Amino acid sequence: MKKILIFNGSPRRKGNTAVLIEECLRGIRDSGSDAEIFVLNNMKINPCQFCDWCIKNKMLSCVKKDDMNELYPKLIECDVIIFASPIFWFNLSAQLKLFIDRLYAFHGKGSFALKNKQVASIFVYADNNEETSGVKNAIKNLTDIFTYMESDIIGMIHGTAAKIGDAEKNKQLMSEAYQLGITIGK
Ligand SMILES: Cc1cc2nc3c(=O)[nH]c(=O)nc-3n(C[C@H](O)[C@H](O)[C@H](O)COP(=O)(O)O)c2cc1C
């Protein structure tokens, strides 16, 4: 079975990102797979200190001990990574950005540990207009990072939902989240 990891970058436990993740997971399960969800807001993930220990020692991990130590081996072994985040100030949430910064340990020469792994994203924002929401910055950001990491970007969905409970009402977005799960789970 595929190993699928989902990272939730929202601080709201029952927020729109969480709802869309659950809908994506429903699709994944309907396709015969399963996934592990990590709520980054509840994890101890410190900022990258740029000490270069990981690169100098060719380690696919970090010298600093926090919850990233549990995540590195899972990331190395997984097949698919789904990044889900609200748009905060026209880009990824800080919770998600902190986590991605720590993937620096994976970028060293000869150790592109995320090479050929499938990557997908789910973004949600309050703005009714995707042009002014900032989602394009988040899409560009993730695309640049995972193109550089030689990963395989397989799907990026996004849409509008502001208050808690709004995601369920956005039928188009819910359907896209489910379909993304179906595709990934196959
Ligand atoms: C600090 C902060 C910054 C935000 N910045 C934006 C933004 O730039 N564009 C936007 O459309 N919505 C913005 N929002 C709204 C959230 O993206 C939106 O409410 C989203 O549904 C929250 O997802 P969640 O329920 O999973 O936390 C912001 C919210 C917060 C708290």
Side-chain angles (χ1 to χ4, degrees):
M1 208 201 282
K2 271 186 176 175
K3 286 189 180 154
I4 304 167
L5 307 180
I6 307 178
F7 294 95
N8 182 346
S10 169
R12 297 206 284 196
R13 204 164 56 86
K14 294 186 176 172
N16 296 312
T17 310
V19 167
L20 294 165
I21 286 173
E22 284 304 320
E23 195 58 6
C24 180
L25 181 60
R26 198 167 68 83
I28 289 170
R29 288 182 174 152
D30 284 353
S31 278
S33 296
D34 208 346
E36 216 176 334
I37 299 171
F38 298 90
V39 179
L40 297 169
N41 194 62
N42 297 346
M43 303 183 79
K44 190 172 183 317
I45 298 179
N46 295 310
C48 173
Q49 299 300 303
F50 200 1
C51 68
D52 258 351
W53 177 89
C54 54
I55 304 301
K56 281 184 213 138
N57 294 288
K58 294 196 172 15
M59 299 299 284
L60 299 176
S61 60
C62 182
V63 69
K64 303 282 173 204
K65 299 296 168 228
D66 62 12
D67 288 343
M68 281 306 292
N69 295 97
E70 170 204 341
L71 297 181
Y72 287 124
K74 286 180 185 284
L75 286 156
I76 290 165
E77 283 164 22
C78 80
D79 303 296
V80 189
I81 309 167
I82 304 173
F83 297 94
S85 177
I87 298 302
F88 279 0
W89 287 112
F90 311 98
N91 218 314
L92 310 175
S93 71
Q95 288 86 339
L96 184 57
K97 184 60 168 57
L98 267 184
F99 166 62
I100 291 176
D101 276 3
R102 296 288 296 282
L103 302 182
Y104 180 81
F106 285 166
H107 97 286
K109 204 169 177 223
S111 61
F112 273 70
L114 301 184
K115 184 173 176 159
N116 298 332
K117 291 199 191 288
Q118 295 188 325
V119 166
S121 65
I122 299 171
F123 293 126
V124 61
Y125 39 86
D127 202 321
N128 284 318
N129 182 348
E130 74 175 75
E131 294 299 324
T132 47
S133 69
V135 72
K136 289 197 167 174
N137 299 329
I139 290 171
K140 170 96 169 68
N141 196 344
L142 269 200
T143 304
D144 286 348
I145 293 164
F146 292 100
T147 301
Y148 177 79
M149 298 284 254
E150 300 179 25
S151 308
D152 183 13
I153 299 169
I154 55 163
M156 294 183 133
I157 66 152
H158 62 86
T160 301
K163 297 188 296 298
I164 288 178
D166 282 354
E168 287 98 330
K169 294 181 204 151
N170 186 336
K171 300 294 172 207
Q172 165 81 20
L173 183 55
M174 291 291 275
S175 163
E176 286 179 24
Y178 179 75
Q179 283 307 322
L180 182 69
I182 292 283
T183 307
I184 288 171
K186 275 183 191 155

